[in-house]
Amino acid sequence: MTRLTVLGALLMTMAAVSAQTPAARWWEHVAFLADDKLQGRDTGSDAHRIAAEYVAREMERVGLKPGGTKQYFQPVPFRSRTIVESKSSLALVRTDGTEVPIVLGDEATFSLRIEPASAVDAPIVFAGYGLTVPEAKHDDLAGVDVKGKVVMLLTGGPSNIPGPLLAHYQSTRWESLKKAGAIGVLSIQNPKGQDIPWERSKLSRFLPSLAIADPALDETLGQQLAVTLNPATAEKFFVGSGHSFKEILALSNEGKVLPGFPIPAAIRARVTIEAQPIESDNVVGILPGTDPRLRDEYVVVSAHLDHLGAGEPINGDGIYNGAMDNASGIATLLETAAAAAAKTGFKRSIAFVAVTAEEKGLLGSRYYANRPATIPGDRIVANLNTDMFLPLFPMTSLIAQGLEESDLAGDLRRVAETAGIKVLSDPEPERNAFTRSDQYSFIKTGVPALSLKVGFEKGSREHDAIKTWRTERYHSPSDDLAQPVDRQAAAEFNRVYLLGLNSTASTCWSSKRSPTARRGHVGTRIVSSAGLRARAPQSREVGFSSETISR
């Protein structure tokens, strides 16, 4: 199907959307974006551009103003890297010179989110979780010589470090490793935090990896090697060390601190890549504020538009449609924009941003958070993000990732309670979801942010449904339009989401409050380490009730 034909279908879809029920309107957006014709919306692809044009046209239709550098579009320049596995290799070299090959795919994969050195020969040292967390007085690098070496580590951290703080320092781990002199990382994922089985995740190694072309936004400078090891075959890396992977894993699963020790072997890596520049768009629409004092402040509503594109077939299907991840979130963003515009906006201005390259490492949102097109960066006061919110069952609660770390929490709880919805903290902090979606890009620039999902209690039937979905459908071609979805739950989520946005966009905040006002709170420690600015609600002036948001 040609791009022109797809755009014709796009216009017919948009005409049909306006006359439907909230649940049906939401699903129509999902159905267009996750159709096989869009080939999985890979960053920088023609199909992604078609999806971006769909979002831009819908923003224009409901009355949002262009907020990109080229009308509704903000082009983001990337460097794309693809592994040439036939010309790449990995091996352990024992102290007696014996070389032990590591099978790429089955036992390890190269990460190309860094610019890898073509050749690395370096000693290995195991450094526990590889974390330095001053607030928790935890330092895995204390007494461990990593200078000029490749650090092997296990993902996760000890149980005495709160989940969001732990997630933050795992995300920024390379900063402390680089400062200590390390040149690369061998990462073993703890199986209990592994959403995708290795046999499926290894298939993604052939997909292009991206980095923002602007060196000022490259967080991996200096890293020569990044390898992910299969935990099922990691034992060979501990031979002769006096420790075993089984022992290390057991300590970690008990929440304990891990030892650090040298590995009596070196890593030998040879990496060949193909690289090229590409460009992909963030899509930005602005709803101007109505209050003379507050309209120059902006709340960013974000969701990622990209998915994985076409890849290795699973059960004969090679299109990774990304219906829930994250056509669902874009559909919510569009429906929220339409409802907000129909109510003539809020006191603050809203930037609705469909970001690109989330699947490549939150790159589109990092670019926007640091280069926010037509908005001064210091005028962004909050971010609400939606990513894979999973309406698989009736909604009775809402999960807010970052809830205990955000000044936005109190207002969210209040408006959700008026709608009969309970707000929950993340029941699975070990998954590091706090840092795995686009809200984290804004958090790192000092903007209070939350990411919202349909809620569940840990250990419940709903939790089991979520875990099954991750195992079977997450980053799989089966995240498509044929899967069961509770569309009414999605409509209810959108209703509460709009209430939360209204509260955030209408609250009057004091600019005099500082992080020291909340000293001792976990969020303050994250705020302090990332340079965030605390903003505390001073008074609330909420203009919508739960009865007034349907359109």
Side-chain angles (χ1 to χ4, degrees), residues 83-336:
I83 190 75
V84 182
E85 200 164 273
S86 62
K87 298 181 180 179
S88 303
S89 62
L90 192 67
L92 280 170
V93 181
R94 306 290 188 198
T95 53
D96 63 359
T98 302
E99 187 170 304
V100 181
I102 306 300
V103 181
L104 295 177
D106 290 342
E107 297 183 308
T109 60
F110 288 110
S111 170
L112 299 187
R113 290 187 176 180
I114 70 162
E115 185 73 33
S118 59
V120 173
D121 291 272
I124 305 171
V125 59
F126 184 75
Y129 305 107
L131 296 173
T132 300
V133 186
E135 295 88 343
K137 295 182 173 57
H138 176 89
D139 188 1
D140 285 316
L141 305 185
V144 180
D145 179 14
V146 304
K147 189 171 184 179
K149 298 176 182 178
V150 171
V151 171
M152 185 166 66
L153 57 87
L154 181 67
T155 61
S159 58
N160 65 309
I161 304 177
L165 189 67
L166 180 61
H168 168 69
Y169 277 102
Q170 288 192 85
S171 177
T172 58
R173 182 191 281 119
W174 177 244
E175 292 179 15
S176 56
L177 292 176
K178 178 182 177 181
K179 186 176 180 180
I183 64 168
V185 176
L186 306 176
S187 178
I188 312 170
Q189 188 171 28
N190 189 318
K192 73 177 183 180
Q194 203 168 1
D195 286 340
I196 307 172
W198 181 270
E199 287 304 306
R200 195 165 86 234
S201 68
K202 73 178 184 180
L203 301 178
S204 66
R205 72 190 189 276
F206 297 114
L207 298 174
S209 293
L210 299 184
I212 297 173
D214 184 349
L217 298 179
D218 186 352
E219 298 176 347
T220 66
L221 288 176
Q223 188 169 352
Q224 300 179 35
L225 180 69
V227 173
T228 302
L229 302 178
N230 185 350
T233 58
E235 200 68 69
K236 66 173 63 179
F237 285 83
F238 292 83
V239 171
S241 69
H243 300 269
S244 68
F245 179 60
K246 181 179 179 180
E247 165 208 337
I248 295 299
L249 190 60
L251 288 172
S252 179
N253 288 339
E254 292 171 4
K256 295 182 178 179
V257 174
L258 302 181
F261 46 85
I263 299 294
I267 196 73
R268 176 169 293 163
R270 300 293 181 266
V271 186
T272 300
I273 65 171
E274 293 177 346
Q276 63 178 336
I278 69 166
E279 189 175 86
S280 192
D281 294 305
N282 292 330
V283 190
V284 188
I286 303 294
L287 182 63
T290 59
D291 185 282
R293 293 186 302 116
L294 299 179
R295 64 189 176 199
D296 290 333
E297 296 181 352
Y298 290 80
V299 176
V300 174
V301 175
S302 59
H304 74 88
L305 180 60
D306 64 301
H307 195 54
L308 302 178
E312 290 294 311
I314 297 176
N315 297 325
D317 186 357
I319 298 176
Y320 290 66
N321 304 77
M324 294 297 98
D325 184 18
N326 184 42
S328 66
I330 291 292
T332 289
L333 181 148
L334 292 176
E335 284 299 288
T336 302

Side-chain angles (χ1 to χ4, degrees), residues 39-52:
Q39 293 288 305
R41 310 183 307 281
D42 191 19
T43 299
S45 66
D46 287 344
H48 184 284
R49 178 65 185 191
I50 290 169

Side-chain angles (χ1 to χ4, degrees), residues 32-79:
F32 181 86
L33 294 168
D35 191 281
D36 279 358
K37 297 182 184 70
L38 265 72
Q39 293 288 305
R41 310 183 307 281
D42 191 19
T43 299
S45 66
D46 287 344
H48 184 284
R49 178 65 185 191
I50 290 169
E53 290 174 355
Y54 176 88
V55 171
R57 288 176 183 269
E58 183 68 6
M59 287 178 172
E60 182 179 34
R61 183 185 72 81
V62 302
L64 302 188
K65 296 182 180 299
T69 52
K70 294 184 177 180
Q71 292 296 307
Y72 291 94
F73 303 107
Q74 182 191 36
V76 184
F78 296 106
R79 176 172 164 81

